[in-house]
């Protein structure tokens, strides 16, 4: 890597749009600076960063952990939606940080002499949380320097039961009239957001890599930064490459790069190091 980027390079944050797997991912994710990724089609955002404008329309916030660059915008998000006459947001976050987060939001309410409306839902690994009809997520534990969680979002679709495949329209209408359940629910894993974490959870929960889209951090890239990744409880590019065969997803979105790398560094390192199987499906979100 060449010398450290200038402050201007490090501080530049522009919301980027990455489209893949039928999803529009809008946002930014740079270590230390800000992480917030809105998914328009699902009406949710992963982390809230500093409460950016592009996330204001999202009804659901899936918050991975309380580092400020991921979470400090929570009170602003709530207040902005109230001013815009949008419904109170529902914020999902690790169960153990709910009380502290509520206290933080309450402090802002007192400071601003106004009441806001919102719902905080403490999440536990493995439990299903329904966001709206046909859309839910399950959380899984991640490994960072403080309580953290990842999210796997599913769409629930209906599939005709095998015994009814081949029936014509009128026959199906007749069955429905008689109240016969002719479909089975199927879960489609749409997107996984791992958040800040070591690579370890991937080994324990490999099914999270089978979503159509996997968004994950890759904070450190240079071989000499591997001890730093371990110390700061982040993922290193080498961790991902060692597990290249595990990525059953259609699209892999790498993000949360350290400010020690310029965009050119990131592009060059990934182009040089990723195996072809991963390179073909990888996109970058800065
Ligand atoms: Zn982070
Ligand atoms: Zn963090």
């Amino acid at each position: 890597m060449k010398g450290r980027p200038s402050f201007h390079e490090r501080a530049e944050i522009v919301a980027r749009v990455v489209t893949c797997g039928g999803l529009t991912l809008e946002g930014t994710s740079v270590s230390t600076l800000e992480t917030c990724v809105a998914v328009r089609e699902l009406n949710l955002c992963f982390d809230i960063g500093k409460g950016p404008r592009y996330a204001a329309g999202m009804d659901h916030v899936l918050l991975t952990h309380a580092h400020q660059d991921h979470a400090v915008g929570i009170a602003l998000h709530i207040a902005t939606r109230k001013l815009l006459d949008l419904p109170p947001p529902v914020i999902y976050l690790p169960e153990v940080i709910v009380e502290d987060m509520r206290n933080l939001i309450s402090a802002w309410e007192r400071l601003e002499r106004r009441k806001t409306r919102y719902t905080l839902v403490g999440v536990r690994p493995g439990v299903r949380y329904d966001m709206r009809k046909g859309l839910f997520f399950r959380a899984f534990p991640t490994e960072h320097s403080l309580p953290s969680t990842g999210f796997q979002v599913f769409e629930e679709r209906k599939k005709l039961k095998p015994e009814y495949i081949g029936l014509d329209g009128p026959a199906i209408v007749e069955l429905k009239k008689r109240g016969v359940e002719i479909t089975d629910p199927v879960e489609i894993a749409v997107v996984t957001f791992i958040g800040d974490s070591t690579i370890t959870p991937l080994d324990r929960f490999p099914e999270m890599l089978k979503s159509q889209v996997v968004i994950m951090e890759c904070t450190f890239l240079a071989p000499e930064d591997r001890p730093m990744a371990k110390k700061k409880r982040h993922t290193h590019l080498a961790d991902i490459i060692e597990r290249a065969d595990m990525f059953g997803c259609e699209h892999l979105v790498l993000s949360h790069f350290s400010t020690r790398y310029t965009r050119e560094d990131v592009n060059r390192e990934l182009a040089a190091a990723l195996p072809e199987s991963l390179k073909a499906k990888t996109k970058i979100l800065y």
Side-chain angles (χ1 to χ4, degrees), residues 31-32 35 65 69-70 196 234 256:
S31 178
T32 310
T35 292
H65 68 296
D69 50 317
H70 294 252
D196 288 9
H234 280 299
H256 200 270

Side-chain angles (χ1 to χ4, degrees), residues 68-112:
Q68 288 195 46
D69 50 317
H70 294 252
V72 74
I74 206 79
L76 182 61
H77 181 70
I78 294 166
T80 303
R81 289 180 59 86
K82 188 171 185 223
L83 292 171
L84 295 174
D85 278 330
L86 294 168
V90 184
I91 297 142
Y92 304 89
L93 66 174
E95 198 174 32
V96 293
I97 67 171
V98 167
E99 197 185 334
D100 284 339
M101 195 60 80
R102 197 181 303 284
N103 290 337
L104 181 78
I105 297 163
S106 300
W108 275 115
E109 288 181 323
R110 288 196 300 278
L111 285 164
E112 296 193 295

Side-chain angles (χ1 to χ4, degrees), residues 2 10 12 21-22 65 87 99 105 114 134 152 193 225 230 233 238 252 261 278 282:
K2 58 184 184 188
R10 280 182 283 144
E12 183 195 9
H65 68 296
E99 197 185 334
I105 297 163
R114 68 177 169 200
Q152 188 169 27
F193 189 86
D225 291 336
K230 202 170 175 188
R233 304 228 154 187
L252 174 64
Y261 314 122
L278 276 186
T282 298

Side-chain angles (χ1 to χ4, degrees), residues 90-162:
V90 184
I91 297 142
Y92 304 89
L93 66 174
E95 198 174 32
V96 293
I97 67 171
V98 167
E99 197 185 334
D100 284 339
M101 195 60 80
R102 197 181 303 284
N103 290 337
L104 181 78
I105 297 163
S106 300
W108 275 115
E109 288 181 323
R110 288 196 300 278
L111 285 164
E112 296 193 295
R113 308 288 193 270
R114 68 177 169 200
K115 271 302 229 190
T116 52
R117 285 168 59 218
Y118 60 91
T119 304
L120 296 185
V121 179
V123 300
R124 275 180 275 162
V127 178
R128 169 178 168 148
Y129 296 89
D130 286 89
M131 289 182 281
R132 62 165 190 260
K133 195 173 182 322
L135 187 73
F136 68 94
F137 73 83
R138 290 194 188 91
F140 53 86
T142 50
E143 187 183 74
H144 195 33
S145 52
L146 73 185
S148 62
T149 188
F151 301 99
Q152 188 169 27
V153 179
F154 298 85
E155 276 178 6
E156 190 169 74
R157 297 182 196 154
K158 290 194 182 298
K159 196 176 144 211
L160 206 58
K161 287 184 177 180

